[in-house]
Amino acid sequence: MNFIDTHLLSLILFVPALAAVIILFLPNGENRVFRWFAFGASFIPFVLSLLVWFRFDANQSGFQFEEIYVWYEAIGSSLHLGVDGLSLTMVLLTTILTPLSILASFSITDRVKAYMILFLLLETGMLGVFMALDLLIFFVFWEVGLVPMYFLINQWGSANRNYASLKFLIYTMGGSLGLLLGIQLLGVLFNTYDLQIITAQWSTYTEDIAGIPASTFKTVAFWAFVIAFAIKVPVWPFHTWLPDAHTEAPTAGSMILAGVLLKLGAYGFLRLILPLYPEQARVFAGALAVLATAAIVFGAFASYAQTDFKRLVAYSSVNHMGFVVLGIAAAGLASGTPDAHIALNGAILQMFNHGLSAAGMFFLVGVIYERTHTRNLNEFGGLFPLVPVYGGILIFTSMASLGLPGLNGFVSEFLVVRGAWPILPVYTAIAMLGLLFTGAYILKGIKMVLHGPLNEHWAPAGGEHKLTEINTREILVMVPLMALILWIGIWPAWILDVINKAVVRLF
Amino acid sequence: MNFPVLSVITFTPMVAAVLILLLPAQRKNEARAVALAAATFALILSLWAYFNYDQAAAGYQFVEKYTWLNLGQLNISLHFGVDGISMPLVLLTGVVMFTGVLISWGDDHPHVMAGIQDRPREFFAFLFVLASGVFGVFVSLDLFMLFFFYEIAVFPMYLLIVIWGWIVTREYAAMKLTLYLFIGSVVSLVGVLVMYWVAGQNTGVYTFDMLQMEKAGFSQTFQDIWFLPVFLGFAVLGGIWPFHNWSPDGHVAAPTAVSMFHAGVLMKLGAFAALRVGIMLLPQGAQTWSWLIMMFAAIAVVYGAYIAFVQTDFKYMVGFSSVSHMGLVMLGFSTLNRDGLLGSGVQMFSHGVMTALFFAVVGMIYDRAHTREIPELGGINKIMPFATIGFIIGGLVSMGMPGFSGFVAEFPIFMGVWGTQWLVAVIASISIVITAAYIMRNIRQVFFGELPQKFEGHLTDITILDKVAIVVLCLFMIVIGLFPNFMVPLVQTGVDNILRLLGGA
Amino acid sequence: MFTPTVFASILPEILILVIALLVLVVEPFWKEEKRRNVGWLVAGSLLLAMVISFLFGQPGEPTATLGGMVRFDWLGFFFKQLFMFAAAVTALLLMENEKVGRRGEAYLLMLASLIGMNLMASAGDLVMLYLAIETTSIPLYVLAGFMLADEKSTEAGFKYLLFGAMTSAVMLYGFSLLFGFTGTTDIYQLIGKLQPGIATFGVLALILVGIGFKVSVVPFHFWAPDVYEGAPTPVAGFLSTASKAAGFAVLIRLFFVAFPDFAPSWTLALAILSAVTMTVGNLLALPQTNIKRLLAFSSISHAGYALIGAVALSQLGAASVVFYLAAYILTNLLAFGIVMAFSRVTGLEDLKDYSGMSRRSPWLALMMLAAFLSLAGMPPFGGFVAKVFVFAAGIQAGYVWLVVIGILNSIVGVYYYLNALKYVYLFRMPEQDEENHPVPLTRPYVIALAVLAIGVILIGTVFAPWFSWSDAAALNLF
């Protein structure tokens, strides 16, 4: 037990990668073996992160479960892991969603082995970002997650996958270029990559760098960081890769993409930008708020305009993530105030919530797509009577996404709006209008799929209709998600407590 | 006297070459077997040396010194020794030699004609003479011997390309390559000879021993004048822009194993000699001119990547990517600081292994598909999954993806550039995105998608020897990527020595 | 008069004379078809003579013997050994020549010329020098035109004669003027006796013409390609190596010993000659399609490289010239030997006829590779080290510009040497049936070529002993 106690984080981090290697050496053969092995392997981090969650002491300041290993001594980088309330929430989200996504991908039949390997590697990449306390390690895992995702989209995606996957890759890599350069600069300046040391020194750094005033340099570096993360979030106008990538990705890929990968960007804002550039964050909060508001409003409009079910859900991500950024912008402007803390609480909870609901939505889109082989909303209609269970689940999840009180989305969006209102009243007001359209597009989606006149195409012929009901495995995927959605909606305190204490201490 | 491991490594290929030539011409498999045995032996020895290098002691180790000519004002000795910079390169040569022999073994499948089927005896003999030269350059501490081995490494290239190369361009490419390299090397020769006499006058000791020449106390003016000819002369072989022109043509025309050697090891030879002779013996000259080298290197990095991006010939793409990556090595040199040099040291190894893998896979595909036009290829992974994975890993290294050796190497280079000229770091970093774009696009186009109709049925998978080669190469890239300490501290001992020569820093 | 020293100083010549007499005696007793065995006899006994003179004829302190006619020193000794080696190899190559090899006179003429060369290398007096030069030249005129039925051979002999006679007359005029100005013919007495002035430079120029012809520097090179092409190939090989080296021996001894006071002027002249020779030789070699003509022009350019060492006017310079010539003799003989071996079987001498040679005879191809790469100055062959030393001497003396020209020329050289190898290794015979056209080698060739090839590699790798001897030889000039 002792080993597990002292290496909890590294176990969570590397068990998936290890499992991937084991799968690589498993003999080719039964797909079933790979599926269950991967599922089982992804369950271990989940159990371990639950362990971490319960052992985590929210009242203690600083990072917990810290581990530090020699990695790249020569340039002052080490494998330094640790979690606080902020990152632990994200770790939990990741370890919950990964097994569910793997379960959701049991319907994959093509090259299951490679698929599972990539999926597990992806999990390691994402977890690494959330746990890293070393800038270089942060970047390493940031990029590591990219490649499996690229191949998941490229190999198991739908028709337009080549274009979408390359766009995804180039956008993200191009975006992270500024991040890379910024990280290098910090490393050169401080001769270490340890996040805590750099945070302490850089935020108050005032000397000239290469003859350029520190403030100018910081501004440039700030924007380099912002662009890198904004692309990942994605913030309007850097979001155009997202609908393509989501739409073309396989179902489980979309789940993880929306559920976790987008959170990486927001996490970057919280973990790096706000602590490293408090000054710049305040100065440019207005600009960020503009982008966030634009994301909310345009995301909603764009979503409403879609006829492709999956694109509709994809644009909804832009819309929802806009609230996260709005919260962050508010916090940047008025850092340290109670309002800012409320907004940040909302933003972080929104990240978690959106992870749950977006994953659920994408999965449900996938379920219907597998049966109908179309995502065109116009080809659906009136399906509710045919698949009542599916319909119920879809409505439930949509409502969470819409922000229905009693479900989780409401809690977080309310917090963001409540926190941002005194700080950025105008933008918040506009964002509220966007929220209105959120309702509109979600209801439109439900209507066009489930209600209205039954599309003749699916009409029962000879008593048997062509659609089959959602099966047990698929329900099993949805049950944990729905449970969490409901739980947080009714009693958010268990998670907000952890988040809040971290937020108050950090910002 | 300890076991003379360096001279055994250096002369093993030479002896093997003679043995192979003594075999009867018809016995192809025997020639291959001797080649493989010698390559394995050299690889094992270089691994042994690698792990027995005492990092705490640093400096030149496994030193051997035999007086070769000691007469009046001419002092030449066979002085071997390795430091933190050259040790990885010796290992690299061992690895590339081993894998090069493996993939040249060939496949007797009637559709394939992979590997070397025509006169394998001569092929391996020439290749091994080349390998001996390469080893010799890396371990020589005597400037004359360094030069001697340098030339030995250059001329077999002509024959290897012209005889076994791609029929369309081999004559042109081989001659172009040889002339470029020869011009570069003789330009350096003039500089080297001038340095020899001036060092002798300054110190009263006339010797080609580089450890002595380091103390020659060349004047600032002298160094300013002679640094560029010496450095650039060698750097031609390192593929420095604007003298890189020979390299893609040469890569493309060469047979697979030779491309591997050429891009994997020979280009390092140029970079290494430029470092050892140019920067280490003329450090102040290097300081004067580092801006120019940095400019050339930065252009090479971006330009090489862009040209690679627009290629439709698979092998040209890889060839130009080498220009881009060797530009990074030069970029690291030009920083003259710890991080940059460290990165360059690792990058030389990393790029060597990576590009060897690239060329190996490209060769495997070409041998079977008989085309290298990227648009004509597709779906290769259905036939050669192993090669696909290998190429993807190489591609990730090439992109500087974390977790692989490329990242470990490129990151300090950029840090070093930040330390000297931040704008260059920003410009050069563009290449990362371009590289990612062309690598990913080509992986998708060549390995995935539909298998063209004309390949149905007659493409075959690679042989088991090919797979071994791929595994060996990938292993090094992953191990270094995950555990930088496998190589970085070693390189650092070498870098410290260079920094000492650069004065104080 | 005949003290042991005197005897030792001309021991090689005596031995050669004995061999010549032996040939005269033995040859008539052998039947026509067995007469080629004279080659074995000559080669073997020359080797024996080398060994004997090496054991008993080593010089100590430089001395003048025979009334100052002969210098007994390492410079002469080393060159004599080289010449005898070259002659031995040439004898082996001669015997396989259908038209020449069965005639004892050919060997006799070669031996006579060899005596002349030996004396050229050791002459200490202008009179002796002139006699030696004529002794060398006249048999060679005959040898070059030896194949009477062959128009080209006759032309070669005649051309060689005309050029040779004229330039030696010019040189003789120079010698006589020298005597007139100084009152002595002893080379070692000349120093300090000449006054600077137009007349002196004129004298030096006249002498340079004569030597320039021997070593075939531009512009006195016109005879070389035609003669090499027309003369029997072994003779061409001999001409381009031993005869040329003898010219160099004279050049360095005469100019280093007698005229160091006028150094800046004649070294500059030599530098210009060197530059022009290298450049013209290499550029003219480029378009050649006949391999003997190619080698002829290449050998012209090599005289240019070797001159760089002489230009340096230093001990290292002289040593590097001697070393260069040693490497060059081995290499060029190897090249000519291969050409002979090939044309003996095929009767062809064009570059394109060498297509597919590596498949017809891999070993011959490999040796050609060694020879041509050595000529191009690539390691591990002798040409590389030799070139580096010559360049090093040039740079030491401050002639960086000349070295740069030399280097540019090497690049041109690399081009055409590699181009020739391309035929050997890359191109194929028109029917691609090389296995039906092997190039068998007879025993004399195998021995000669193997010895030469090993020598080329040895001198390029284990160069210390060779260079020490060259250096010892050079030491005698200062």
Side-chain angles (χ1 to χ4, degrees), chain C residues 57-270:
Chain C
Q58 285 199 27
E61 278 297 296
T63 44
T65 58
L66 293 171
M69 283 293 150
V70 171
R71 272 311 263 203
F72 186 35
D73 58 9
W74 273 99
L75 182 68
F77 180 75
F78 188 63
F79 270 111
K80 285 178 189 176
Q81 294 283 335
L82 273 181
F83 297 153
M84 287 194 284
F85 175 76
V89 172
T90 308
L92 285 181
L93 300 177
L94 261 179
M95 33 184 303
E96 290 300 317
N97 190 307
E98 295 282 331
K99 296 169 192 119
V100 189
R102 294 193 181 155
R103 295 174 61 178
E105 311 93 279
Y107 301 97
L108 269 184
L109 286 167
M110 189 190 73
L111 289 172
S113 142
L114 179 61
I115 293 178
M117 287 176 191
N118 278 359
L119 291 174
M120 273 169 86
S122 58
D125 192 285
L126 290 178
V127 175
M128 187 63 190
L129 183 57
Y130 186 72
L131 282 176
I133 289 175
E134 289 304 306
T135 314
T136 311
S137 301
I138 292 166
L140 287 178
Y141 301 152
V142 181
L143 273 176
F146 203 79
M147 299 184 290
L148 286 174
D150 183 340
E151 275 182 21
K152 277 192 170 179
S153 175
T154 320
E155 183 200 335
F158 205 66
K159 204 169 209 166
Y160 192 34
L161 170 69
L162 284 179
F163 269 88
M166 194 188 76
T167 50
S168 78
V170 171
M171 184 167 61
L172 185 61
Y173 184 48
F175 285 172
S176 65
L177 284 177
L178 209 51
F179 175 69
F181 290 147
T182 60
T184 178
T185 55
D186 190 330
I187 293 171
Y188 285 79
Q189 303 295 322
L190 282 172
I191 186 164
K193 295 214 168 111
L194 273 174
Q195 302 301 318
I198 298 287
T200 309
F201 297 129
V203 170
L204 294 187
L206 292 177
I207 296 172
L208 263 185
V209 170
I211 298 174
F213 165 77
K214 272 273 150 215
V215 303
S216 68
V217 296
V218 178
F220 315 110
H221 68 287
F222 289 103
W223 60 275
D226 294 336
V227 173
Y228 290 179
E229 194 190 356
T233 315
V235 176
F238 195 58
L239 265 178
S240 76
T241 52
S243 167
K244 184 176 287 218
F248 267 102
V250 173
L251 176 80
I252 55 176
R253 188 188 291 276
L254 189 58
F255 279 75
F256 278 42
V257 170
F259 309 124
D261 352 0
F262 305 103
S265 58
W266 64 259
T267 47
L268 186 66
L270 278 190

Side-chain angles (χ1 to χ4, degrees), chain A residues 169-479:
Chain A
L169 187 85
I170 297 301
Y171 258 73
T172 323
M173 278 206 84
S176 53
L177 206 59
L179 181 64
L180 175 73
L181 292 169
I183 288 177
Q184 280 163 351
L185 170 71
L186 293 175
V188 171
L189 279 180
F190 300 114
N191 218 3
T192 175
Y193 284 99
D194 196 281
L195 194 55
Q196 286 153 297
I197 300 173
I198 288 183
T199 310
Q201 297 186 356
W202 176 243
S203 52
T204 56
Y205 194 86
T206 51
E207 286 166 46
D208 285 6
I209 300 160
I212 296 168
S215 57
T216 316
F217 224 107
K218 278 188 173 183
T219 306
V220 174
F222 169 76
W223 279 107
F225 274 58
V226 166
I227 288 174
F229 297 133
I231 286 177
K232 199 82 167 183
V233 169
V235 177
W236 183 89
F238 307 112
H239 67 283
T240 59
W241 63 269
L242 179 129
D244 291 317
H246 273 227
T247 314
E248 304 304 330
T251 300
S254 302
M255 288 170 72
I256 286 292
L257 194 58
V260 185
L261 245 65
L262 303 188
K263 309 305 173 293
L264 294 181
Y267 179 79
F269 270 102
L270 294 166
R271 174 64 70 223
L272 298 182
I273 292 182
L274 290 184
L276 284 173
Y277 305 94
E279 193 65 24
Q280 284 71 23
R282 195 165 64 246
V283 175
F284 297 110
L288 268 186
V290 170
L291 298 184
T293 316
I296 295 170
V297 176
F298 294 143
F301 276 125
S303 188
Y304 188 79
Q306 300 306 317
T307 55
D308 182 318
F309 198 11
K310 209 167 178 185
R311 277 186 101 81
L312 183 145
V313 179
Y315 273 108
S316 87
S317 284
V318 178
N319 167 276
H320 285 123
M321 290 307 288
F323 279 98
V324 176
V325 180
L326 183 66
I328 292 167
L333 189 61
S335 131
T337 61
D339 289 330
H341 290 154
I342 294 174
L344 275 183
N345 268 318
I348 297 168
L349 188 61
Q350 172 78 348
M351 283 158 71
F352 194 85
N353 288 342
H354 176 253
L356 300 176
S357 59
M361 286 302 286
F362 275 115
F363 177 65
L364 291 171
V365 173
V367 168
I368 192 85
Y369 176 73
E370 272 175 30
R371 285 161 176 73
T372 61
H373 303 290
T374 177
R375 294 188 306 249
N376 192 337
L377 286 170
N378 295 323
E379 292 179 22
F380 298 129
L383 300 182
F384 197 89
L386 304 184
V387 282
V389 180
Y390 174 80
I393 295 173
L394 180 63
I395 290 174
F396 179 89
T397 318
S398 301
M399 286 306 123
S401 180
L402 176 143
L404 187 74
L407 297 179
N408 62 356
F410 172 74
V411 181
S412 52
E413 281 172 15
F414 178 80
L415 284 173
V416 171
V417 172
R418 160 66 189 84
W421 178 254
I423 304 169
L424 298 160
V426 179
Y427 298 117
T428 315
I430 300 172
M432 291 304 290
L433 286 176
L435 204 53
L436 198 67
F437 277 93
T438 309
Y441 70 75
I442 288 194
L443 292 176
K444 173 196 165 194
I446 294 177
K447 185 199 121 199
M448 292 189 75
V449 176
L450 297 178
H451 305 298
L454 178 65
N455 192 316
E456 285 310 312
H457 187 68
W458 311 111
E464 271 304 301
H465 64 77
K466 292 181 202 155
L467 283 186
T468 48
E469 182 59 285
I470 183 167
N471 64 29
T472 320
R473 174 181 62 81
E474 288 158 346
I475 292 176
L476 273 179
V477 174
M478 285 310 293
V479 165

Side-chain angles (χ1 to χ4, degrees), chain A residues 71-72 74 162 169 184 193, chain B residues 338 408 411 414-415 444 482:
Chain A
W71 187 62
Y72 201 159
N162 281 340
L169 187 85
Q184 280 163 351
Y193 284 99
Chain B
R338 197 187 66 106
V408 171
F411 200 83
F414 277 103
M415 279 175 71
R444 189 194 70 215
L482 294 180

Side-chain angles (χ1 to χ4, degrees), chain B residues 228 286-297 334 336 424:
Chain B
L228 276 189
Q287 267 147 2
T288 307
W289 290 109
S290 63
W291 64 272
L292 187 69
I293 306 297
M294 184 173 278
M295 201 180 80
F296 283 173
S334 71
L336 299 178
V424 173

